[in-house]
Amino acid sequence: MKPAPFTYVRAATLDDALLKLQEWGEEAKVLAGGQSLMPLLNMRLAQPRYLIDVNGLPEMTGVDWCSETQALTVGALTRHRELLQHPLIETHAPLLSEAAQYIGHLAIRSRGTLGGSIAHADPAAELPLVLTALDSTLIVRSFEGEHSIPIGDFFLGYYMTILEPNELITAVKIPGLASNTGYAISEFARRHGDFALASAAAVVTVDERGTITKAQCAAGGVAPNAITCPAVNDSLQGARTLRDFSQAAQQLENFIDPPDDLQASGDYRRCLAVELMTQAIGQAYARAVGTKEAWA
Ligand SMILES: Cc1cc2nc3c(=O)[nH]c(=O)nc-3n(C[C@H](O)[C@H](O)[C@H](O)COP(=O)(O)OP(=O)(O)OC[C@H]3O[C@@H](n4cnc5c(N)ncnc54)[C@H](O)[C@@H]3O)c2cc1C
């Protein structure tokens, strides 16, 4: 199919993009990498009157590490491929680099952007999952000004977010990893490059005895959006064995209820999520204590 007619506009500056969004509101769509939007246009699931291309806007590009706040700022237009290769991301948010390798195929990773993946809000997308585990904050701009949104408050459900039609995600702020902290993502997809049936991410910090003192876990593909797992986090306090990790991951079962669909039954996804969470915690733990041993 071909898209419904629309007017294509390339924003000259960020202010220009924001002004147009303010003026056209719900009649406009922002074009970033186009990897999700173009299929939607072609299937006529989206029929905007205006397409505002924000590619190349300097305020939405670049990666910056602030040693004072110990936070990494990643521009919304950063492509998935850059997430894999950027030295500052590899150093300060390696989980983001690790997640990007699971996204689609090379052509998709070469065009798709960080901000596009977050705004599209696919429940199985890797980037919202790991940004949730990393406790990230989104920087959002509109004609009226800038504000920050903790990622945990951003998603409303399947492909739905709190972003207003006149707002743009310009960047993501990711806290640097504390010392003695490990991270991991684990996912299962039927074929390489497919969206995952389920996924899990874990960030854990240990004390000098190798006991977990802090954990931030997230699950993907098993709820309308990436979710944090407070019960898993709580039960990881004091954990240090594979048995502890597995018991903590079991907590997921109590608060996810994935529906059956063409890809898998809800029960299968639930079991998968627990197994993937155990793996992610195990690998994050191994990294935190500095061993190469796989704990799962
Ligand atoms: C075959 C295929 C396989 C894929 N596999 C995976 C996968 O395994 N995992 C995965 O996570 N993704 C996958 N994707 C999706 C891919 O990651 C997309 O790049 C991503 O979801 C959207 O990013 P984009 O930059 O292409 O956004 P676009 O397609 O340009 O935009 C998507 C939506 O976000 C809005 N938007 C874009 N940028 C902003 C912004 N800065 N502020 C506000 N709104 C914005 C747009 O208006 C639009 O509504 C796949 C895509 C394809 C085609």
Side-chain angles (χ1 to χ4, degrees):
M1 278 178 76
K2 291 203 163 45
F6 57 82
T7 302
Y8 168 90
V9 188
R10 181 149 206 156
T13 60
L14 179 61
D15 283 345
D16 180 33
L18 296 174
L19 185 63
K20 288 184 163 72
L21 277 176
Q22 182 75 13
E23 208 174 306
W24 296 333
E26 288 186 353
E27 291 194 303
K29 276 269 174 208
V30 171
L31 173 67
Q35 298 305 296
S36 297
L37 183 57
M38 296 316 289
L40 290 177
L41 294 181
N42 286 340
M43 288 185 278
R44 300 205 174 193
L45 291 171
Q47 300 194 17
R49 237 174 117 184
Y50 303 100
L51 217 54
I52 307 174
D53 188 343
V54 293
N55 281 275
L57 296 183
E59 296 90 340
M60 294 174 67
T61 53
V63 180
D64 185 45
W65 168 253
C66 175
S67 48
E68 210 172 298
T69 58
Q70 294 283 298
L72 188 72
T73 303
V74 186
L77 287 174
T78 307
R79 307 217 185 259
H80 306 328
R81 196 149 176 236
E82 290 176 77
L83 298 177
L84 274 162
Q85 297 167 340
H86 199 289
L88 282 176
I89 298 177
E90 279 182 343
T91 306
H92 299 292
L95 183 54
L96 204 53
S97 309
E98 205 157 290
Q101 71 183 329
Y102 290 109
I103 302 176
H105 303 279
L106 183 60
I108 291 149
R109 293 193 294 271
S110 299
R111 291 301 304 166
T113 66
L114 177 64
S117 177
I118 300 166
H120 186 58
D122 188 306
E126 285 82 3
L127 300 179
L129 170 80
V130 298
L131 291 172
T132 300
L134 290 167
D135 218 1
S136 311
T137 301
L138 310 181
I139 311 299
V140 170
R141 285 276 294 268
S142 75
F143 191 64
E144 284 128 29
E146 180 177 293
H147 64 288
S148 306
I149 306 175
I151 193 146
D153 296 341
F154 186 72
F155 300 109
L156 288 177
Y158 293 101
Y159 307 100
M160 278 166 48
T161 73
I162 62 169
L163 206 64
E164 295 291 340
N166 67 342
E167 290 180 328
L168 265 179
I169 303 168
T170 55
V172 181
K173 263 204 164 70
I174 306 164
L177 292 177
S179 51
N180 302 327
T181 296
Y183 58 87
I185 173 172
S186 190
E187 72 165 50
F188 179 76
R190 280 170 183 257
R191 295 172 308 184
H192 172 71
D194 280 3
F195 275 100
L197 286 186
S199 53
V203 178
V204 304
T205 304
V206 298
D207 64 15
E208 63 288 346
R209 294 196 310 274
T211 301
I212 294 180
T213 54
K214 188 174 174 213
Q216 179 80 12
C217 297
V222 288
N225 48 258
I227 50 166
T228 52
C229 312
V232 178
N233 299 341
D234 290 349
S235 97
L236 280 172
Q237 292 292 323
R240 51 181 302 161
T241 66
L242 181 54
R243 196 174 161 178
D244 296 337
F245 308 155
S246 166
Q247 277 172 358
Q250 290 287 339
Q251 301 293 327
L252 250 186
E253 281 195 337
N254 303 328
F255 64 97
I256 56 171
D257 189 16
D260 298 340
D261 63 22
L262 287 175
Q263 303 287 332
S265 69
D267 283 345
Y268 178 72
R269 265 185 223 265
R270 191 181 300 109
C271 292
L272 193 57
V274 170
E275 180 54 33
L276 293 168
M277 185 59 80
T278 309
Q279 282 179 17
I281 297 166
Q283 199 187 351
Y285 181 80
R287 281 177 165 152
V289 296
T291 68
K292 291 208 166 56
E293 186 181 350
W295 278 68

